[in-house]
Amino acid sequence: MSSHATGTATQRIFIDKQSPKAYHALVQTSEAARATAADAGLDRTVVELINLRVSQINGCAYCLNVHTRAALRAGETAQRLGVLAAWRDTELFTPAERAALALAEATTEPTDAAAQEIAWAGARDVLTDDQISAVIWVAITINAFNRVSIMSKHPVRTER
C-alpha cells in the first residue's frame, strides 16, 4: 500500500511544476482568453473581476491573492473589490460587469440550469457574442487555475 493510502497527512506536489507541458498549455489558453477579451472590448478590470469572483466561489486563496493585486494594478478600486462577493447587492457595477459576473458564476457552477438561463438572458441584453464568448473563456481558464492551485496547495506568502 502506498503512503498516500495510509491516512497520514501527505505533502502535495505542485502539479504545475510536475507536469510543465500541461501547465504551459493552460497558460497559453489563458493568454488567448485574455487576448480574446481585449479584442472583444472588455477592459482588463472586467477580466480581473471575473478571475476574482470565480476564485471566491472556488475558495482559491492563491488566485485571490494574485488577482487582487492584478485588479488593483489595472485600476480597480478597493471598494469594489471589497464588495465583489455581494455584487448583486450594490450599484457599484455596470450592467455589462453584472452580466459578465453572472455568466462567470454560471460557468463555474454549470449544474444550476436556472441561473445559467438567467445569466445568458442578461448577457444577451448588454454583451456582444464576442464578449459573451470571452467571458466564458476567462471563467473556464481561471476555474482551471483554481484547481491547479487548490490541488497543489500553492501557498500565499506575506507581502513585504
Side-chain angles (χ1 to χ4, degrees), residues 99-153:
L101 290 167
L103 198 54
E105 288 179 356
T107 303
T108 302
E109 300 176 314
T111 58
D112 187 343
Q116 206 177 96
E117 290 306 314
I118 291 167
W120 270 99
R124 283 274 181 218
D125 288 343
V126 294
L127 299 175
T128 68
D129 288 352
D130 287 343
Q131 290 170 331
I132 289 169
S133 181
V135 165
I136 293 169
W137 275 109
V138 169
I140 287 169
T141 57
I142 191 60
N143 269 289
F145 279 115
N146 287 169
R147 280 140 182 86
V148 168
S149 291
I150 290 167
M151 293 307 295
S152 298
K153 285 206 175 277

Side-chain angles (χ1 to χ4, degrees), residues 14 19 25 29 47 50 52-53 62 64 80 97 100 104 108-109 116 123 130 137 140 146 153 155:
F14 288 180
S19 305
T29 302
V47 170
I50 293 165
L52 284 165
R53 184 64 192 122
Y62 184 84
L64 284 165
R80 285 173 25 117
E97 290 167 337
T108 302
E109 300 176 314
Q116 206 177 96
D130 287 343
W137 275 109
I140 287 169
N146 287 169
K153 285 206 175 277

Side-chain angles (χ1 to χ4, degrees), residues 58-77:
N58 290 327
C60 184
Y62 184 84
C63 291
L64 284 165
N65 185 54
V66 167
H67 291 286
T68 295
R69 290 187 319 220
L72 290 168
R73 280 193 310 272
E76 190 52 79
T77 67

Side-chain angles (χ1 to χ4, degrees), residues 10-126:
T10 58
Q11 183 175 351
R12 304 279 180 107
I13 59 169
F14 288 180
I15 65 169
D16 48 330
K17 306 288 188 242
Q18 188 68 33
S19 305
K21 285 183 184 177
Y23 183 73
H24 183 67
L26 180 57
V27 169
Q28 287 182 311
T29 302
S30 176
E31 290 169 354
R34 206 167 38 246
T36 297
D39 291 347
L42 293 175
D43 190 76
R44 181 61 188 254
T45 57
V46 174
V47 170
E48 293 307 333
L49 289 172
I50 293 165
N51 288 334
L52 284 165
R53 184 64 192 122
V54 169
S55 297
Q56 287 174 338
I57 293 167
N58 290 327
C60 184
Y62 184 84
C63 291
L64 284 165
N65 185 54
V66 167
H67 291 286
T68 295
R69 290 187 319 220
L72 290 168
R73 280 193 310 272
E76 190 52 79
T77 67
Q79 180 188 26
R80 285 173 25 117
L81 294 179
V83 300
L84 181 58
W87 64 268
R88 285 181 177 84
D89 299 327
T90 77
E91 296 300 320
L92 296 177
F93 300 94
T94 68
E97 290 167 337
R98 296 170 78 76
L101 290 167
L103 198 54
E105 288 179 356
T107 303
T108 302
E109 300 176 314
T111 58
D112 187 343
Q116 206 177 96
E117 290 306 314
I118 291 167
W120 270 99
R124 283 274 181 218
D125 288 343
V126 294

